[in-house]
Amino acid sequence: MTNVFKVLGDETRGKIIKMLASNANEVFCVSDIARKIGISQPAVSQHLRVLKSIGLLYANRKGCRVFYTINLDVFQEYKNRMDEMFKKAFKKCPHEFSCNVCPHNKC
């Protein structure tokens, strides 16, 4: 989850996710995203690469353009994992933080 938090912690990537998630029935190419977010196409491409690296985006090539959509299944899985993490954060660790003996290996 550390990588997910690093990826999601960037303000521009947050804007891109918001744009794609709130328009889930639409597809956007790099130039569409760059125009709407107000940053350069190379910068958008770098952010999209990072978002793709954790599985949050689908990329679909049509001709010389690549169109992006949000992967809602992966997004939901990360949300579920975060929810579980926050639930565990307020419970005492029964293994005194000895993760090597924890049956879940996530305490």
Side-chain angles (χ1 to χ4, degrees), residues 47-61:
H47 287 295
L48 293 172
R49 182 185 55 77
V50 173
L51 291 166
K52 278 179 48 183
S53 76
I54 62 166
L56 281 178
L57 301 182
Y58 289 120
N60 185 17
R61 180 174 292 281

Side-chain angles (χ1 to χ4, degrees), residues 10-65:
D10 182 86
E11 183 179 347
T12 300
R13 288 192 285 269
K15 288 178 183 179
I16 292 169
I17 289 169
K18 172 69 175 161
M19 183 181 141
L20 296 176
S22 64
N23 295 286
N25 295 328
E26 297 181 47
V27 294
F28 298 92
C29 66
V30 172
S31 60
D32 296 332
I33 297 167
R35 187 175 58 257
K36 289 185 184 274
I37 301 291
I39 62 173
S40 71
Q41 289 185 21
V44 169
S45 293
Q46 289 298 319
H47 287 295
L48 293 172
R49 182 185 55 77
V50 173
L51 291 166
K52 278 179 48 183
S53 76
I54 62 166
L56 281 178
L57 301 182
Y58 289 120
N60 185 17
R61 180 174 292 281
K62 291 183 183 174
C64 62
R65 289 188 173 189

